[in-house]
Amino acid sequence: MKDVYLFSGFLGSGKTSMLTNVLKQFKEKGLKPAVIMNELGKLPFDSQAVDEEIPLKEMLEGCICCSGAEKTEAQIQSLLADNEFDVLIIETTGAAHPVEALDAVYSPLFAESLNIKGIVTVADSKLWLDRSSLTPQVRSLFIEQIRHAHLLLANKMDLLTEAEQAKVVFEMQGVNPNAFILQTTNGKVPLKLLEGLQATAQASKDDIQAAKIGKHLHLSSRLVELKQSFSQEQFEEWVRSMPSSVYRIKGYVPIEGIRNPMLFQYAYGLVQWIPEYINMPPKIVMIGENIQEIDIIGEK
């Protein structure tokens, strides 16, 4: 089981400084990290921050959260097959919504091999105070990145007065009361804080092991094994009964009368069924808030 961290945050917030510092800490501890870097440009500037001996996959000209989702799955599968590593860090673009990024890296194909530790968002504290100057779309994404973080770095604190520092922490805590907020300079975060995260709720044979982050688990993932077949109508009816806090469901669903489990995807209230010609394991991944409380179809 490999630990996986998602690093989120706007361009210029300090993500690369954090990445460089965290990689150094992992290596000092004797752990071998691997990195997937996702950039919107053509030139991989940030990859210069990663040492040559660290396995690195780059995604250029694409966002991890849209057309790049399949590429991300392929990159992770390639890393799992070709490289010996202990921990995987995925640096998303500043334009990535946290839910989309989590969706892109959590595939039923390798969900059991990965332990999603959480989303670490680096927020530019000075930009937070000046957020009224941003366009509505950019401001909304900025707030969403903060709202869905499991660990929040209020970075560039050295540029603020004590009163401004207190204001930033108070306001960010109001947006995300679940995350631990660390005041940082140059994105320096102690490894212990990262290792204490746990955003994946794994389904065992007997029960659901609910993960804990602080007192409340908010944005999280859950892997579920389906132990019987359903009609498509039955399964869709169950999906429609979900609260709006369930953002994504994807995986392979056994359908009565059909030889192989079908690929099922759910997002934004829309469902998609795709025939599968290989007998894939009947498992689905669910992504949302308080996901471990959802009753699973076919289970009492």
Side-chain angles (χ1 to χ4, degrees), residues 90-103:
I90 299 172
E91 183 183 354
T92 66
T93 71
H97 188 288
V99 173
E100 313 281 354
L102 194 60
D103 178 49

Side-chain angles (χ1 to χ4, degrees), residues 97-99 121 139-149 175:
H97 188 288
V99 173
T121 296
R139 187 166 62 247
S140 173
L141 179 58
F142 193 16
I143 291 169
E144 285 293 285
Q145 288 181 345
I146 289 169
R147 188 169 84 84
H148 288 298
V175 173

Side-chain angles (χ1 to χ4, degrees), residues 77-96:
Q77 280 187 293
S78 172
L79 275 174
L80 287 170
D82 302 337
N83 296 280
E84 285 294 320
F85 65 95
D86 302 304
V87 59
L88 174 61
I89 296 172
I90 299 172
E91 183 183 354
T92 66
T93 71

Side-chain angles (χ1 to χ4, degrees), residues 77-292:
Q77 280 187 293
S78 172
L79 275 174
L80 287 170
D82 302 337
N83 296 280
E84 285 294 320
F85 65 95
D86 302 304
V87 59
L88 174 61
I89 296 172
I90 299 172
E91 183 183 354
T92 66
T93 71
H97 188 288
V99 173
E100 313 281 354
L102 194 60
D103 178 49
V105 302
Y106 207 158
S107 163
L109 297 175
F110 45 70
E112 289 179 316
S113 304
L114 301 179
N115 177 33
I116 310 290
K117 295 287 281 181
I119 297 169
V120 182
T121 296
V122 188
D124 182 332
S125 300
K126 198 162 181 57
L127 182 62
W128 173 259
L129 293 175
D130 298 333
R131 65 191 181 279
S132 59
S133 65
L134 301 172
T135 65
Q137 293 89 343
V138 172
R139 187 166 62 247
S140 173
L141 179 58
F142 193 16
I143 291 169
E144 285 293 285
Q145 288 181 345
I146 289 169
R147 188 169 84 84
H148 288 298
H150 298 107
L151 174 61
L152 185 55
L153 271 60
N155 200 29
K156 304 188 182 180
M157 279 289 172
D158 54 319
L159 303 178
L160 306 182
T161 65
E162 282 190 23
E164 286 174 330
Q165 291 175 2
K167 180 178 167 66
V168 166
V169 173
F170 179 76
E171 290 180 349
M172 286 185 178
Q173 199 80 70
V175 173
N176 185 347
N178 301 296
F180 182 87
I181 298 180
L182 180 69
Q183 298 180 55
T184 56
T185 301
N186 299 323
K188 288 185 178 174
V189 55
L191 203 55
K192 259 188 179 176
L193 260 185
L194 293 178
E195 292 177 330
L197 295 172
Q198 184 56 63
T200 305
Q202 294 281 5
S204 69
K205 287 182 181 176
D206 303 315
D207 63 345
I208 299 299
Q209 299 295 328
K212 300 289 182 190
I213 304 170
K215 293 182 180 176
H216 305 285
L217 185 72
H218 50 305
L219 181 63
S220 60
S221 306
R222 178 173 168 185
L223 174 65
V224 176
E225 184 175 357
L226 299 172
K227 298 177 182 171
Q228 65 186 72
S229 298
F230 311 95
S231 68
Q232 284 179 252
E233 292 75 17
Q234 276 179 317
F235 196 80
E236 287 187 29
E237 188 178 336
W238 172 66
V239 170
R240 279 195 297 270
S241 72
M242 300 273 174
S244 59
S245 56
V246 177
Y247 303 127
R248 295 281 189 283
I249 302 173
K250 64 179 178 180
Y252 299 95
V253 180
I255 297 299
E256 293 165 352
I258 296 178
R259 184 176 177 183
N260 297 324
M262 291 183 73
L263 175 60
F264 175 83
Q265 299 191 66
Y266 165 82
Y268 301 110
L270 303 173
V271 301
Q272 182 181 31
W273 293 93
I274 301 171
E276 183 55 63
Y277 300 101
I278 300 171
N279 190 18
M280 303 300 290
K283 294 175 182 175
I284 58 170
V285 170
M286 304 169 66
I287 296 169
E289 298 185 41
N290 301 310
I291 207 81
Q292 73 277 11

